[in-house]
Amino acid sequence: MERALMSDPMSMLTDDILVDIISRVPYKSTCCCKCVSTRWRDFLSHPDHRKKLPQPLAGFFYQGYNRDRFPKIARYFTNASGEGDPLVDPSLSFLPRYSSLEILDCCNGLLLCRCWKPTDPKTLDYVVCNPATEKWVVVPATEWSNKVSVARLGFEPAVSSHFHVFEFIDEKAWVTDESELNEWTGSLEAVATYSSKSGVWTNPIAVTTIVSIPTHSKGVFFNSIMHLAAFDDMVATFDVQGNLQSIIDTPDLPYDSPVNDVFVSRGQLYFTGITRSEFGPSMSVWVLEDYDFGEWTLKHTVSHFALFGTNYSACNYKVISFHPEHDMIFVVYGEENTLMSYDMDCKKRHIICQLGHDCQLEDISDEEKTPFLPYGPLYTESLADGT
């Protein structure tokens, strides 16, 4: 017995301890763990243990906007494979009945929703829910919530079962007397945060640096820091108390374009933009190699012709996500809003499906633009128990 333990110290660990360890590694590594032994394969496949393990990217929440329809905004979910029935019912019918509901953010299997109450069109709740388990909790609104354009969710299940909600209070929401707004620029005035552990909002933290965040800037939460792309070619980062931690300049690009989102994959921050090449305009992919000094390294370049074919010059497109564990990008492009993936390793694209004309990408107001929210299921039963 002693010899067996010395040759295989992992055999001393119980299944519960082992699955807790493996739940903290990336999904790709979890798949490799199944090849270690028959025991590992069996316990990782057991339904009770599988609930605790990281899940792959399953698909995307998005919305369509049609002026000639009621309601004008419709919500959808499409699988990342483009095949089969949607994994999630985008109506979120398990939630309490509200007059309207908007999905603001998705973070590691949880959704942040803004829900307007039927009793008063100016009052609302935030609701954080888990579509995989149909569990939800109400987060009370603040005095700024009905005016705030940008609210985001922070959640890292490998670190804590508790989540954080961030309210980014811009100048328009902050000032009570609109006559004081001589020239509104939309600059950020303060940040308030809510912790499910404390159950209360912090007092808003003033932002003294000029920062302006677009309505649909994608929130990236990792290492307990929220990252948001901002105007003027920069990324603003905030801690869970709402303090502005740093401003990271994004790479200088030769083309003027709308604010590009940042993404996280395998624990690193990525940025995409349009650059020039011998083949014409290209999409470039940058990775933040030195976080402290804000140094980006060019990781990959692909021409628009290789991505979109002969009509690339007239093609509107938007990068909507990076795969969390692979060098793969998801893009929506063209008149039919075609969803495709592009593998940077093998340099191949794959057409997934067409999302239709209702999706709006460019040249319209912020409230009509389509946010795309990547989603992977989380099978943990509770939203905020434990530490």
Side-chain angles (χ1 to χ4, degrees):
M1 178 65 71
E2 290 181 358
R3 288 182 179 178
L5 292 176
M6 291 177 63
S7 61
D8 183 17
M10 298 299 288
S11 64
M12 300 175 62
L13 300 178
T14 65
D15 285 359
D16 287 342
I17 294 175
L18 194 55
V19 78
D20 183 65
I21 294 172
I22 296 176
S23 70
R24 301 172 188 274
V25 304
Y27 174 75
K28 186 176 181 180
S29 300
T30 302
C31 296
C32 295
C33 289
K34 294 181 180 180
C35 302
V36 171
S37 66
T38 303
R39 178 204 171 200
W40 283 40
R41 181 200 63 198
D42 291 344
F43 87 78
L44 287 174
S45 300
H46 193 282
D48 290 342
H49 295 151
R50 192 168 61 241
K51 292 179 180 180
K52 303 177 183 179
L53 300 175
Q55 303 297 318
L57 176 66
F60 303 92
F61 286 95
Y62 65 100
Q63 68 186 31
Y65 184 91
N66 189 326
R67 297 175 186 271
D68 300 322
R69 179 184 61 205
F70 181 82
K72 292 182 175 65
I73 295 176
R75 193 164 54 250
Y76 304 97
F77 183 88
T78 188
N79 297 336
S81 64
E83 301 175 352
D85 295 332
L87 177 68
V88 182
D89 176 5
S91 71
L92 305 179
S93 58
F94 61 90
L95 292 180
R97 187 175 292 274
Y98 287 93
S99 61
S100 65
L101 182 151
E102 179 186 6
I103 302 176
L104 299 177
D105 199 11
C106 180
C107 186
N108 290 316
L110 300 186
L111 302 183
L112 173 65
C113 304
R114 179 161 48 198
C115 306
W116 298 92
K117 297 180 180 180
T119 53
D120 184 347
K122 292 185 178 181
T123 61
L124 61 89
D125 289 326
Y126 290 116
V127 173
V128 176
C129 69
N130 184 341
T133 62
E134 299 191 351
K135 302 292 185 181
W136 52 272
V137 295
V138 173
V139 174
T142 70
E143 61 182 284
W144 301 278
S145 296
N146 63 343
K147 295 182 179 180
V148 164
S149 298
V150 182
R152 294 294 179 263
L153 179 66
F155 176 60
E156 289 179 291
V159 176
S160 171
S161 61
H162 290 280
F163 62 82
H164 302 270
V165 178
F166 295 75
E167 271 196 340
F168 297 93
I169 308 168
D170 63 22
E171 186 179 4
K172 189 175 183 180
W174 184 253
V175 175
T176 55
D177 184 357
E178 293 192 4
S179 64
E180 298 178 15
L181 294 173
N182 296 323
E183 247 179 74
W184 176 56
T185 61
S187 61
L188 191 62
E189 292 289 333
V191 179
T193 62
Y194 174 91
S195 166
S196 64
K197 186 174 184 178
S198 66
V200 296
W201 288 90
T202 63
N203 292 322
I205 303 296
V207 178
T208 57
T209 303
I210 298 177
V211 179
S212 184
I213 298 173
T215 300
H216 290 312
S217 181
K218 193 177 299 294
V220 173
F221 188 75
F222 72 106
N223 296 333
S224 298
I225 297 293
M226 178 62 70
H227 304 69
L228 286 166
F231 287 111
D232 296 329
D233 303 322
M234 59 187 180
V235 177
T237 71
F238 302 85
D239 65 20
V240 294
Q241 284 76 42
N243 298 291
L244 177 64
Q245 290 290 289
S246 63
I247 294 293
I248 304 172
D249 293 328
T250 56
D252 291 329
L253 300 175
Y255 291 95
D256 291 330
S257 62
V259 173
N260 292 294
D261 285 316
V262 289
F263 306 89
V264 65
S265 178
R266 293 186 289 192
Q268 288 186 291
L269 203 67
Y270 286 81
F271 171 84
T272 63
I274 301 175
T275 54
R276 296 188 182 98
S277 73
E278 58 182 311
F279 303 105
S282 298
M283 182 176 71
S284 58
V285 179
W286 305 75
V287 59
L288 187 61
E289 296 284 7
D290 193 318
Y291 197 95
D292 293 329
F293 292 94
E295 293 181 0
W296 299 84
T297 299
L298 182 63
K299 178 181 177 67
H300 189 82
T301 301
V302 55
S303 70
H304 287 182
F305 178 78
L307 276 176
F308 310 118
T310 55
N311 294 323
Y312 72 92
S313 61
C315 185
N316 289 331
Y317 74 94
K318 180 177 179 63
V319 177
I320 64 170
S321 182
F322 275 56
H323 194 284
E325 298 297 336
H326 305 296
D327 286 331
M328 181 177 290
I329 306 171
F330 292 88
V331 178
V332 175
Y333 74 96
E335 293 183 358
E336 293 295 332
N337 290 300
T338 301
L339 173 63
M340 79 169 192
S341 62
Y342 173 74
D343 191 314
M344 289 184 283
D345 290 333
C346 62
K347 299 181 180 180
K348 290 184 179 180
R349 69 172 189 162
H350 170 66
I351 303 299
I352 298 173
C353 63
Q354 291 182 336
L355 303 179
H357 289 285
D358 284 359
C359 294
Q360 308 291 325
L361 299 181
E362 304 290 347
D363 302 325
I364 54 175
S365 62
D366 275 343
E367 63 268 18
E368 297 174 8
K369 287 185 180 179
T370 297
F372 293 90
L373 301 175
Y375 169 78
L378 175 73
Y379 293 107
T380 301
E381 289 296 329
S382 177
L383 282 176
D385 57 350
T387 57

